[in-house]
Amino acid sequence: MDKKYTIKDIAQMAGVSKGTVDRVLHNRGKVSPAALEKINEVLNVIDYEPNLIARNLKSTKVYRICVLLPDPVFDPYWLPCVNGIQDAIKEFKAYNVNIEIHYFNPESTKSFLKTNEAIVAQSPDAVLLTPLFHKETLEIIKQYDELGIMVNTFNNQVESSSIKSFVGQDLYKSGRVAASLMNLILPKGQIAIIHIDESLKNAVHMQEKERGFRSYFDEKNLSDFSLTTLKLKYSNIETKLTSFLNENPDLSGVFITTSKAYQIASSLSNITDKKIVLIGYDLIDKNVSYLNQGLVHFLIHQNQKRQAYLGVSTLADHFLFRKDIPETILLPIDIINVENASFYIS
Amino acid sequence: MDKKYTIKDIAQMAGVSKGTVDRVLHNRGKVSPAALEKINEVLNVIDYEPNLIARNLKSTKVYRICVLLPDPVFDPYWLPCVNGIQDAIKEFKAYNVNIEIHYFNPESTKSFLKTNEAIVAQSPDAVLLTPLFHKETLEIIKQYDELGIMVNTFNNQVESSSIKSFVGQDLYKSGRVAASLMNLILPKGQIAIIHIDESLKNAVHMQEKERGFRSYFDEKNLSDFSLTTLKLKYSNIETKLTSFLNENPDLSGVFITTSKAYQIASSLSNITDKKIVLIGYDLIDKNVSYLNQGLVHFLIHQNQKRQAYLGVSTLADHFLFRKDIPETILLPIDIINVENASFYIS
DNA sequence: CATAAAAATGTGCTCGAACACATATTTTTT
DNA sequence: AAAAAATATGTGTTCGAGCACATTTTTATG
């Protein structure tokens, strides 16, 4: 009923040779109208799907995919990505797909550019990159485009017609999710939106989250709340927080737009005994630890591991099995509290 | 550097024929100690991984997997499972894995048994089943075991040494998650735990959720809350709810242990204008609709689609690529509110 | 030491798609 | 109508693992 037909079967049914069938299937021409019709008749009746296994066995081509990733040494945020890529490496190793990770220093555009050069020199079939630096990314994408190297991106969205795909999250909506949770816990009061170590590279990131967060309160017309934005640097967190708390004794909630919620939790517990609601991002160890202590109320999971995995696996599936690469993959915005956190930590 | 070695390569390096290498790799014996050592030396140096493509091309065996699923006609809860299975069917079609869905009436043990007979008659290589009926499941599993048919389960956990794997959720913990959300919204008050249409087949299910839910409040020693269990049938929801509400005017929260939150939401909106917090399960259309209206506050996503997909895909991966089948796969307990729901609906 | 038996080793075919190349058929040209 | 050119069609090989079977080498036995 659901038999798998082969080219040989089709050839036999149409009364021609497998070579001719192959030419029809691949539009290679050099086929007489008579033969074409006979073969098409057969193809219309049966449901032929080429055996992907055989096809891939024949092609000895080794596909090469490079991943450009910030070195987790500089920020543990990127650690899960490495795991995701390593899963992909394992999975596709048996299929002649070579996946290589190249690290760069997320604080240095120079490092970003230099690592890109190294990748270009390798001329892989495709690249998955973390486009932290907007301007530099655009330059580099042009280069890849000219060399016919396919480019996927993840984590940060960059608009460019040369980019084949983006895997990430809707940051605006994730800000809204955070706001809805905040609104659930707090009936009213002052809320601070804190950006830590805002540098060019993820300013857009944080702003989108803030925009979403604010939009929620704006829409609901919740006049019992007042929102204040606060930009902190790693070096001055505690002093700035202290003075902010002195000036704003009504502060009851904090939304941290980066993965550094643990820094705020730690500082706040030093400064005051007041119970302040904290909502932040990412399941890095220190954040989870404060979640378990009850000092962080919710974390939003950005699922970098899966982002990275999907970034390369869609490429590999494309090369191996000619699957379409979706233009955009938006991962769900997972809400994490102390009760369900363990299931998301891999 | 990361070259893929073939059996032929190994044979050449060890100075033997590929037949001998093959015998060593598969422990088929008939190899002299000298040859064995030479080959092992080579194997220790290089990192040989068989080409799965070639291996699967050779084997003409068609694997057959049957899925035993409650007919979504009787309960839309099961609809996502069908989609999950269909994804798997598409994915594994090219690999000579035949996956068939067999439906049964979830209200009828007879139907369950009859459909199982039909599957047994087909003697597939493996079965994924929804073990709704505990006693009948145990009987049937024995039968499969004798026939050497591998059995995986999902959604409901049944203890049996003959079951290879279970895909599902930790229901106790999901009850706790619901409780933590309820506690977040409500400072105090009376909470009802509602079981709808409790019949034997998922009594355990609901009880586990209730146990988890209660354990959370017990642990926290929250004496400002009082919990009441309420069992309803489809036919008497509105009348029973009305009288319950009259007797308990302080009711402020409801935890529904099944996917039928929409029925409670609908009835409550008829009965009273009071704002009662509702937390339930599953992203079926009607539930999401009430979520969007603000009448349901949270839904816990049981991700049946993925449960079903993983149930068969682990089997297929096992047959095709000799991957291990994990004894238990517990999916994360996704917290859904109106802001992030859209990302989970496929 | 010859011969049989046992053990070890090597050879060759298969799976299905893809493609190069050889052969057959038709069309064009002189 | 024969030769040349163009087009159509068929054949055979490759990819790597797996396994049946053929061949060689070693060991046992009279």
Side-chain angles (χ1 to χ4, degrees), chain B residues 82-206:
Chain B
V82 178
N83 294 323
I85 303 291
Q86 265 155 2
D87 282 359
I89 291 177
K90 225 186 269 169
E91 179 171 349
F92 291 105
K93 196 183 171 187
Y95 292 92
N96 281 335
V97 179
N98 239 311
I99 301 165
E100 268 175 36
I101 310 184
H102 295 251
Y103 296 107
F104 69 96
N105 177 349
E107 310 294 337
S108 151
T109 55
K110 226 179 236 169
S111 165
F112 179 73
L113 290 169
K114 206 175 139 199
T115 315
N116 260 306
E117 264 175 51
I119 294 178
V120 167
Q122 293 216 24
S123 62
D125 298 282
V127 180
L128 172 69
L129 49 86
T130 326
L132 284 194
F133 309 107
H134 189 261
K135 204 184 89 202
E136 287 78 5
T137 300
L138 289 177
E139 279 172 34
I140 276 195
I141 283 174
K142 210 174 124 197
Q143 209 177 338
Y144 284 126
D145 201 35
E146 280 162 9
L147 291 164
I149 298 172
M150 195 180 286
V151 177
N152 274 15
T153 55
F154 81 105
N155 196 74
N156 297 58
Q157 194 152 14
V158 170
E159 288 303 323
S160 162
S161 57
S162 305
I163 292 177
K164 187 81 187 163
S165 171
F166 165 69
V167 184
Q169 250 179 4
D170 186 323
L171 302 175
Y172 175 83
K173 291 243 176 96
S174 89
R176 284 187 63 93
V177 170
S180 70
L181 296 171
M182 188 68 87
N183 183 29
L184 206 67
I185 309 176
L186 296 176
K188 60 180 177 179
Q190 193 184 2
I191 296 168
I193 300 163
I194 297 189
H195 305 308
I196 300 180
D197 267 335
E198 174 162 16
S199 52
L200 269 173
K201 68 174 190 293
N202 42 7
V204 189
H205 240 79
M206 304 180 191

Side-chain angles (χ1 to χ4, degrees), chain A residues 1-2 4 47 49-54 56-57 64 91 93-96 98 100 170 173 176-177 180-181 184-185 216 297-298 321 323 330-337 339-340 342-344, chain B residues 1-2 4 47 49-54 56-57 91 93-96 98 100 170 173 176-177 180-181 184-185 216 297-298 306 321 323 330-337 339-340 342-344:
Chain A
M1 38 183 168
D2 213 19
K4 293 249 19 170
D47 177 27
E49 292 216 18
N51 183 323
L52 300 180
I53 299 172
N56 282 311
L57 178 59
R64 294 162 22 73
E91 179 171 351
K93 195 182 173 189
Y95 292 93
N96 281 335
N98 238 310
E100 267 175 37
D170 187 324
K173 291 242 176 96
R176 284 186 64 93
V177 170
S180 70
L181 296 171
L184 206 68
I185 309 176
Y216 183 89
H297 287 68
F298 280 107
F321 308 117
K323 284 197 189 156
L330 290 181
L331 295 187
I333 297 163
D334 293 321
I335 297 171
I336 313 297
N337 72 3
E339 292 297 331
N340 71 343
S342 64
F343 297 101
Y344 293 89
Chain B
M1 40 187 161
D2 214 20
K4 293 251 18 173
D47 178 26
E49 292 216 18
N51 184 323
L52 300 179
I53 299 172
N56 282 311
L57 176 60
E91 179 171 349
K93 196 183 171 187
Y95 292 92
N96 281 335
N98 239 311
E100 268 175 36
D170 186 323
K173 291 243 176 96
R176 284 187 63 93
V177 170
S180 70
L181 296 171
L184 206 67
I185 309 176
Y216 183 89
H297 288 68
F298 279 106
R306 192 158 170 73
F321 307 117
K323 284 197 189 156
L330 290 181
L331 295 186
I333 298 164
D334 294 320
I335 298 172
I336 312 296
N337 73 3
E339 292 297 332
N340 72 343
S342 64
F343 296 102
Y344 293 88

